[in-house]
């Protein structure tokens, strides 16, 4: 559902748009609250972080001291209330592993992940549009071959693709580094790996929308009144085909964190995914929760952006939104 | 439409055939044949493919082919069970929400949105931390993370069914809700459910592999494709066969699942037109 975008077209419904945006915000507020609460209690079920903090040789006194220091000795419901009240003031707590503020830890790891995710999104999207437009706009031997390749690629999980890319480009050919984030060349393989999580579904969706768009009346009309092939593709077919693809992009944003975690693990990349795994290993609750909240907000943002883009691309969606 | 349905049938048969072939080979070699995926010969570590071990051996001298086949049973069954669990939870909640509406539907919608908003990997880490690693935990985890997609799609479709005249008519003649769900909704939802299940199965294969690869799903040393690929990482230079066998297995199985999904989808599409 588009949250914005309609204000620009019809100023008369500006108030309604504002109300819609407010409702959306309230909705994400409730969601974050439910998610945080669920995570809080689930994480407390998993074990006692004080044992992890104190180490295996700690005495009972040391354990008690650590519990007192981190407030882990209080009743669970008191801990929960205190956590929530701090959260409302923007305080995500302190990382049990490093002693740094949890939010700072997460925000420091995030840029490295975004530096992979955003180029990967863009790369997948651009490649998918090019490939999809070509695949959908006719039939030929070359196209059938490429469809087959895309089908195989769709069956290749990102982490398998990543490992095979390392095998080929970093080891057999030794063209590119396989580990770490040092310089531009080290971005190539992880970005390609992450893009492969997204590319096949996007390509197949665009190809099928392009194929369908060629059957639509307005495209047939454009062809009938003498529009060139290029005009038909770029002015009539593609904008339409992109609507579904942008919507899918929003949905795939949620997938990116899992994809990023796997990719970062394979390539030893110091991002949020690596942070999530290492934090999970030592039960660093505040950091895990901060990651969950930040990611939930990012996914929400991506979906809102996708909705706005869909509304801008698709007059039907725009009209539907205004009718609400 | 004859050509189209022939292609659809071919995809369907090919995909199903591949899955069956992998499953029977796995059962025949590992469970009936008694080949042990965990026994290794340390004198024969990292041996290249050859007469002794057709696909080579790993860092502990274990047969890569036998381990890959053992992983086949593990992964296919886990993905199948996880798909079934997600379908069961997701569809039941969708039907309940569609029939009862009101506050119940709102609560279900909130649950759907919460689970979708929570990063799946975080839930997976937590659930596995609570109930431990192993085959059943991975099935439960994947089911618990992925059911909302079924709820979303099936709810939308059920609501459109609910508005149909024949459903309203059945209600008027006094059919119970349960009867309407069992005899009107479920048969009409069957095509969607089958297609979704096939594609979900593919996603579950990938997810199980990724979780195992990250060391989150299968116990250390268990013969699963993800574990094998994680084991292979330090040896990509000296023993690439350790990586290639499980990688090929996972790719072939996901392609088979996608073939089934595409075949079913185009078969149902043709029937409708």
């Amino acid at each position: 559902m588009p949250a914005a975008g309609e204000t620009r077209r019809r100023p008369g419904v500006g108030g309604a748009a504002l109300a819609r945006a407010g409702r959306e915000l309230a909705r994400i507020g409730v969601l974050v609250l439910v998610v945080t609460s669920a995570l809080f209690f689930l994480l407390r079920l998993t074990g006692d972080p004080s044992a992890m903090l104190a180490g295996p040789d700690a005495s009972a006194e040391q354990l008690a001291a650590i519990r007192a220091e981190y407030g882990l000795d209080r009743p669970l419901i008191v801990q929960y209330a205190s956590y929530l009240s701090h959260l409302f003031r923007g305080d995500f707590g302190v990382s049990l592993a490093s002693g740094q503020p949890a939010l700072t830890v997460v925000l420091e790891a995030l840029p490295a992940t975004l530096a992979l995710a955003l180029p990967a999104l863009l790369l997948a999207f651009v490649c998918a549009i090019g490939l999809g437009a070509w695949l959908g706009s006719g039939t030929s031997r070359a196209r059938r071959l490429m469809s087959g390749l895309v089908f195989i690629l769709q069956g290749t999980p990102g982490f398998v693709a990543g490992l095979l890319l390392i095998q080929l480009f970093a080891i057999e050919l030794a063209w590119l580094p396989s580990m770490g984030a040092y310089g531009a060349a080290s971005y190539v393989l992880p970005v390609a790996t992450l893009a492969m999580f997204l590319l096949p579904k996007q390509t197949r969706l665009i190809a099928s929308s392009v194929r369908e768009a060629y059957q639509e009346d307005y495209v047939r009309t454009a062809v009938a009144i003498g529009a060139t092939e290029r005009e038909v593709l770029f002015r009539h077919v593609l904008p339409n085909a992109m609507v579904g693809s942008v919507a899918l992009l929003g949905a795939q944003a949620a997938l990116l964190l899992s994809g990023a975690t796997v990719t970062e693990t394979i390539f030893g990349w110091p991002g949020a995914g690596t942070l999530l795994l290492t934090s999970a290993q030592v039960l660093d609750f505040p950091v895990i929760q901060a990651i969950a909240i930040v990611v939930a907000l990012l996914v929400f943002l991506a979906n809102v952006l996708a909705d706005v883009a869909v509304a801008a691309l698709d007059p039907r969606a725009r009209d539907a939104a205004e009718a609400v | 439409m004859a050509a189209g349905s022939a292609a659809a049938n071919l995809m369907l048969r090919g995909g199903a055939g591949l899955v069956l072939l992998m499953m029977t080979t796995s059962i025949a070699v590992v469970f009936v044949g008694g080949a042990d995926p965990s026994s290794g010969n340390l004198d024969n570590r990292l041996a290249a493919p050859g007469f002794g071990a057709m696909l080579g051996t790993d860092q502990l001298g274990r047969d890569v082919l036998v381990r890959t086949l053992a992983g086949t049973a593990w992964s296919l069954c886990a993905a199948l069970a996880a798909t079934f669990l997600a379908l069961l939870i997701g569809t039941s909640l969708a039907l309940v929400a569609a029939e009862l509406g009101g506050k119940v539907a709102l609560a279900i919608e909130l649950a759907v949105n919460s689970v979708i908003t929570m990063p799946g990997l975080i839930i997976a880490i937590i659930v596995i931390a609570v109930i431990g690693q192993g085959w059943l935990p991975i099935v439960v985890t994947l089911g618990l993370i992925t059911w909302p997609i079924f709820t979303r799609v099936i709810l939308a479709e059920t609501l459109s069914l609910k508005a149909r005249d024949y459903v309203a008519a059945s209600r008027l003649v006094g059919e119970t809700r349960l009867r309407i769900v069992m005899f009107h909704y479920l048969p009409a939802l069957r095509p969607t459910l089958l297609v979704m299940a096939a594609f979900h199965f593919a996603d579950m294969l990938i997810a199980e592999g990724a979780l195992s690869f990250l060391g989150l799903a299968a116990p250390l040393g268990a013969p699963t494709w993800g574990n094998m690929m994680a084991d292979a990482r330090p040896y990509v230079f000296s023993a690439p066969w350790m990586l290639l066998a499980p990688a090929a297995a996972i790719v072939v199985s996901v392609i088979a699942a996608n073939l089934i999904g595409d075949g079913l989808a185009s078969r149902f599409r043709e029937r409708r037109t």
Side-chain angles (χ1 to χ4, degrees):
Chain A
M1 289 282 113
E6 56 261 59
T7 41
R8 187 168 46 85
R9 294 273 163 169
R10 263 188 225 169
V13 292
L18 217 62
R20 276 180 56 81
R23 271 206 303 278
E24 287 286 306
L25 259 172
R27 205 170 63 90
I28 185 68
V30 171
L31 271 187
V32 165
L33 189 66
V34 170
V35 169
T36 1
S37 309
L39 277 179
F40 182 90
F41 290 107
L42 279 173
L43 282 168
R44 289 321 189 260
L45 280 177
T46 59
D48 185 356
S50 55
M52 197 69 85
L53 282 166
D57 304 325
S59 64
E61 290 81 35
Q62 282 171 313
L63 270 179
I66 283 174
R67 286 210 186 95
E69 188 188 336
Y70 287 93
L72 295 166
D73 52 347
R74 297 170 298 170
L76 199 56
I77 194 76
V78 176
Q79 290 185 42
Y80 174 63
S82 140
Y83 177 76
L84 272 191
S85 84
H86 280 97
L87 199 62
F88 274 116
R89 285 171 269 152
D91 176 5
F92 285 67
V94 171
S95 161
L96 303 180
S98 68
Q100 298 235 304
L103 188 62
T104 315
V105 174
V106 175
L107 291 182
E108 273 170 7
L110 203 57
T113 299
L114 292 179
L116 291 186
L118 295 179
L121 264 178
L122 197 68
L123 180 71
F125 193 54
V126 170
C127 291
I129 288 178
L131 258 178
W134 179 64
L135 286 177
S137 58
T139 48
S140 66
R141 192 175 287 257
R143 284 190 175 90
R144 272 204 295 279
L145 192 72
M146 185 48 92
S147 309
L149 275 179
V150 172
F151 195 77
I152 291 176
L153 197 61
Q154 192 185 15
T156 311
F159 69 103
V160 176
L163 290 170
L164 294 176
L165 283 176
I166 290 185
Q167 179 83 35
L168 184 61
F169 290 104
I171 291 174
E172 302 282 340
L173 299 170
W175 286 350
L176 293 162
S178 65
M179 289 296 270
Y182 313 103
S186 61
Y187 280 79
V188 177
L189 290 182
V191 167
T193 301
L194 203 46
M196 282 196 194
F197 274 88
L198 313 171
L199 181 70
K201 265 190 191 155
Q202 284 279 353
T203 306
R204 296 191 61 186
L205 182 72
I206 292 182
S208 78
S209 336
V210 164
R211 217 168 286 131
E212 274 166 28
Y214 272 111
Q215 305 300 320
E216 298 260 3
D217 288 340
Y218 65 89
V219 174
R220 293 174 165 205
T221 311
V223 174
I225 61 173
T228 65
E229 216 169 290
R230 187 172 289 266
E231 273 174 352
V232 169
L233 183 62
F234 284 100
R235 293 204 26 214
H236 302 290
V237 171
L238 259 190
N240 223 322
M242 274 164 63
V243 172
S245 161
V246 169
L248 177 65
L249 215 55
Q252 284 185 325
L255 232 162
L256 267 177
L257 177 82
S258 333
T261 307
V262 176
T263 309
E264 286 172 12
T265 307
I266 295 177
F267 290 97
W269 195 267
T274 309
L275 181 68
L276 174 60
L277 273 189
T278 49
S279 305
Q281 273 151 13
V282 296
L283 301 178
D284 195 341
F285 300 154
V287 173
I288 299 178
Q289 256 157 330
I291 294 178
I293 293 170
V294 169
V295 168
L297 289 174
L298 283 178
V299 169
F300 174 73
L301 189 70
N303 278 304
V304 168
L305 286 178
D307 285 343
V308 171
V310 166
L313 282 169
D314 188 353
R316 285 165 303 187
R318 202 159 55 220
D319 294 344
E322 279 165 12
V324 172
Chain B
M1 289 305 329
S5 64
N9 273 335
L10 196 67
M11 286 202 275
L12 203 54
R13 292 218 183 110
L18 269 176
V19 170
L20 277 179
L21 182 73
M22 292 177 79
M23 208 54 220
T24 42
T25 324
S26 169
I27 291 171
V29 172
V30 180
F31 296 96
V32 181
D36 185 359
S38 307
S39 80
N41 175 4
L42 284 175
D43 294 333
N44 195 25
R45 299 170 66 239
L46 303 174
F51 287 114
M54 260 196 292
L55 294 179
T57 62
D58 69 2
Q59 81 281 11
L60 296 175
R62 297 172 298 194
D63 190 312
V64 170
L65 177 61
V66 173
R67 284 180 76 72
T68 307
L69 287 173
T72 305
W74 170 292
S75 298
L76 290 183
C77 293
L80 200 65
T83 303
F84 188 68
L85 184 62
L87 187 147
L88 200 68
I89 302 176
T91 309
S92 319
L93 286 179
L95 291 170
V96 168
E99 261 310 296
L100 298 183
K103 286 215 170 75
V104 178
L106 274 181
I108 290 175
E109 196 196 339
L110 182 64
V112 166
N113 287 332
S114 308
V115 176
I116 285 181
T117 312
M118 265 196 269
L121 198 64
I122 294 184
I123 315 184
I125 290 171
I126 296 169
V127 174
I128 287 163
V130 175
I131 58 183
Q133 293 179 319
W135 189 85
L136 197 59
I138 186 70
V139 168
V140 172
T141 307
L142 289 175
L144 286 182
I145 298 172
T146 60
W147 59 267
I149 180 75
F150 283 98
T151 309
R152 278 206 162 163
V153 175
I154 298 303
L155 176 59
E157 230 173 87
T158 312
L159 285 177
S160 87
L161 289 173
K162 195 180 177 183
R164 300 270 173 88
D165 290 340
Y166 71 89
V167 174
S170 330
R171 236 181 269 282
L172 278 180
V173 299
E175 282 196 29
T176 61
R177 282 187 163 144
L178 190 66
R179 274 189 64 86
I180 289 175
V181 166
M182 297 305 286
F183 297 108
H184 296 307
Y185 291 164
L186 281 180
L189 291 169
R190 204 177 69 105
T192 309
L193 282 174
L194 282 175
V195 172
M196 281 189 81
F199 287 125
H200 203 76
F201 179 58
D203 287 344
M204 292 302 93
L205 282 169
I206 296 177
E208 189 277 323
L211 285 177
S212 280
F213 175 74
L214 290 175
L216 291 171
L220 206 67
T224 74
W225 296 337
N227 266 359
M228 291 177 71
M229 282 192 260
D231 285 345
R233 283 184 65 207
Y235 306 100
V236 276
F237 195 68
S238 53
W241 53 87
M242 280 177 66
L243 175 65
L244 294 179
I250 201 167
V251 170
V252 169
S253 62
V254 176
I255 286 178
N258 282 334
L259 278 174
I260 298 176
D262 279 341
L264 283 173
S266 61
R267 178 183 273 196
F268 291 131
R269 219 173 15 245
E270 275 154 21
R271 203 170 288 173
R272 217 175 299 153
T273 49

